[in-house]
Amino acid sequence: MTRASAGYVLPGLKAGLFALAMSGLAGSMAGTAQADIPAAFRQAVAESASADDAVARFYRENGYQAIWTGADEASRQRRSALLAALNDTRAHGLPDRSAEVNGLLQQMQQARTTRDFGLVEAALSKALVDYATDLQTGLLVPSRIDDGMVRKKHTVDGASFLAGIRDAQPFAYMRSLVPASPQYRGLMREKLRLEQVLAAGGWGPAVQAKTLEPGEQGPAVIALRNRLMAMGYLPRSAARSYDAAMVQAVQSFQADHGLETDGVAGAGTLAEVNKPVSDRLKSVIIAMERERWLTPDRGERHILVNQTDFTAKIVDNGDVTFETRSVIGKNTHDRRSPEFSDEMEHMVINPSWYVPRSIITKEYLPKLRNNPNAVGHIQITDRRGRVVNRNSANFAQYTARNFPYSMRQPPSRSNALGLVKFMFPNKYNIYLHDTPQKSLFAREVRAFSHGCIRLAQPFEFAYALLARQTEDPKAFFHRILNSGQETKVELEQKVPVHIIYRTAVVSSKGRAEFRRDVYGRDAKIWAALERAGVVLPSVQG
């Protein structure tokens, strides 16, 4: 939205048409007392708004008083602010709505009767509610795109948007609808930057090589040098060899893209270096949509698990106060970690592992059929919790449907959950936990679990959580740990947990970082956004 000295200019609109439409509205509604709403106006608003509960409720509670079609300056300002915002939706990675703007202008221009103006009134209100809802909660429904995206979007009250623009300065109110999180603002800036790079032709030719190492020379090294300069990782240089400055630039690039920072441009690094600007722009637009799905109130203290980054963080008042590597679910349909938010309620020190039914029937039952003493480190228990004598059980008679037993691994250092688990009870049976498989944390891509999130530093994670409720969290934790007894420790303050999936993020220093689409979910989101009308600037004409 652009403000001019004598009013507001709507980019891309014909000023004469806009002025004509507005003057027609003002003239036709002049002299209409707010306390005496014409029946035809009231009926038109009621009929047109009946399909939208929020809009209908607003007008019932508002006594069907007009907020858009009045002759007063406030109504004119509301119209201008709304149409300007609708004409600028692409700034947020939303579908272009200029055709809708022109349709509204045409409807306003052609309005003649009181009923016509009632229809205009309702149309403008529905346009605001649709725009504000898309902007604050997202365009898409996550679960319709991928069954692992089980996140439920936060809800908004459409009537509150109408009351808001009625009671506030219109342009300021429309600006207030933009998600206020630092991450969203940073993504908007990165989107604009990438659009400028795209318009200028991108980052130059791709690097034609399988791998490049320090000391090498040749056309591929020069292409890598040029691309790193264009991306901002290397100062202007005429060097023709893979020198120390290029090693440092490659390491910085690797750090920003979740790669091993060895300074060698191997196949993985070059694949990321050669990603076109358009791909990075898509990631940013997708991240903006994902950011809209999250509730604005993340929690003063919250836990953030970014699956594509393989990290788990504790965030206090916007600052990361603890961070550790993580392992997420394996990239198969039944093991991918889901995306959702919940609240951590307690931790269990020296936990038992109660084997999920899916693992029992798919992995362990076939082994037990062949050998009743297989997976001997795990107890088989009946419905009363009693340990079953393996030699007296005929496992061959059971199938996945009728297997009557449960399986449990008692607390130990070799327990699948390690020595501590962190619980936020949910129907997906997902939680954070320790693991005896420490070597996996050295991998670059860490997708190996059955769906739960494994932590590289679970003890330190526990200390950080307990620090708010005990003076010596380390001593408290180890006193219980050394007992060997399975112990539930309640958190005095529940901590929100947000398991997210972001291939584009903006760091606290304002630098964009990118990750690989581990589960292919972002590709599905982009396809859905395209179907909804989102396009890149290069194909908008």
Side-chain angles (χ1 to χ4, degrees), residues 161-174:
F161 300 135
L162 296 170
I165 200 164
R166 176 195 63 194
D167 299 334
Q169 200 284 329
F171 279 86
Y173 181 73
M174 295 305 293

Side-chain angles (χ1 to χ4, degrees), residues 486-507:
E486 185 168 359
T487 305
K488 179 179 179 181
V489 178
E490 297 283 354
L491 295 180
E492 293 179 0
Q493 274 191 319
K494 294 179 181 179
V495 183
V497 179
H498 304 292
I499 301 179
I500 66 172
Y501 185 104
R502 299 285 176 83
T503 60
V505 296
V506 177
S507 71

Side-chain angles (χ1 to χ4, degrees), residues 57 282 302 355 358 451:
R57 173 162 46 85
K282 289 176 185 177
H302 62 268
V355 185
S358 60

Side-chain angles (χ1 to χ4, degrees), residues 250-482:
V250 168
Q251 288 175 323
S252 295
F253 177 89
Q254 290 170 329
D256 283 350
H257 292 76
L259 305 166
E260 183 182 353
T261 55
D262 58 6
V264 175
T269 295
L270 288 177
E272 295 302 306
V273 166
N274 286 335
K275 284 280 180 71
V277 179
S278 57
D279 280 7
R280 299 305 186 196
L281 182 54
K282 289 176 185 177
S283 293
V284 169
I285 292 172
I286 291 165
M288 292 173 70
E289 173 70 4
R290 287 181 170 280
E291 183 72 8
R292 290 188 286 261
W293 295 346
L294 276 173
T295 175
D297 183 12
R298 314 287 161 83
E300 174 189 322
R301 158 171 277 204
H302 62 268
I303 295 162
L304 189 68
V305 177
N306 186 4
Q307 296 180 43
T308 65
D309 190 34
F310 308 107
T311 60
K313 302 173 182 177
I314 297 177
V315 181
D316 290 297
N317 297 311
D319 295 325
V320 176
T321 55
F322 180 83
E323 179 175 350
T324 184
R325 289 188 166 206
S326 69
V327 166
I328 66 171
K330 188 177 180 179
N331 187 21
T332 60
H333 181 264
D334 59 339
R335 294 191 182 186
R336 298 184 189 109
S337 300
E339 304 167 46
F340 65 102
S341 293
D342 212 303
E343 283 191 325
M344 186 173 291
E345 299 177 359
H346 64 272
M347 67 181 72
V348 178
I349 303 173
N350 297 313
S352 294
W353 180 42
Y354 295 90
V355 185
R357 182 77 182 178
S358 60
I359 298 178
I360 292 174
T361 57
K362 291 179 181 179
E363 297 184 29
Y364 292 165
L365 179 56
K367 295 178 180 179
L368 291 170
R369 288 197 192 106
N370 293 327
N371 176 11
N373 293 312
V375 292
H377 61 292
I378 296 180
Q379 296 176 345
I380 301 174
T381 58
D382 62 18
R383 289 184 174 86
R384 296 185 180 180
R386 297 173 299 190
V387 177
V388 173
N389 185 331
R390 290 168 177 256
N391 294 320
S392 63
N394 180 12
F395 296 115
Q397 66 179 313
Y398 298 123
T399 66
R401 288 188 175 185
N402 66 8
F403 187 70
Y405 303 123
S406 299
M407 299 185 76
R408 167 184 174 268
Q409 185 181 17
S412 72
R413 291 191 175 275
S414 61
N415 186 285
L417 305 183
L419 295 171
V420 60
K421 66 178 181 178
F422 305 90
M423 302 300 293
F424 38 105
N426 57 81
K427 64 182 179 181
Y428 316 110
N429 199 28
I430 297 296
Y431 42 89
L432 277 58
H433 65 87
D434 182 19
T435 177
Q437 296 179 292
K438 305 295 186 184
S439 62
L440 296 179
F441 294 108
R443 304 284 187 91
E444 187 177 271
V445 176
R446 299 186 289 277
F448 300 103
S449 81
H450 283 85
C452 287
I453 311 299
R454 304 175 187 174
L455 304 181
Q457 297 173 286
F459 289 7
E460 291 79 1
F461 188 79
Y463 307 156
L465 292 174
L466 293 170
R468 290 196 170 187
Q469 61 189 65
T470 181
E471 291 185 0
D472 192 343
K474 186 174 181 179
F476 174 88
F477 180 87
H478 282 275
R479 185 166 61 251
I480 298 172
L481 181 68
N482 294 337

Side-chain angles (χ1 to χ4, degrees), residues 82 89 114 168 171 186 192 211 214 233 235 237 281 294 312 350 359 376 416 501 527:
L82 172 62
T89 52
T114 302
F171 279 86
L192 177 61
T211 185
Y233 287 97
S237 170
L281 182 54
L294 276 173
N350 297 313
I359 298 178
Y501 185 104

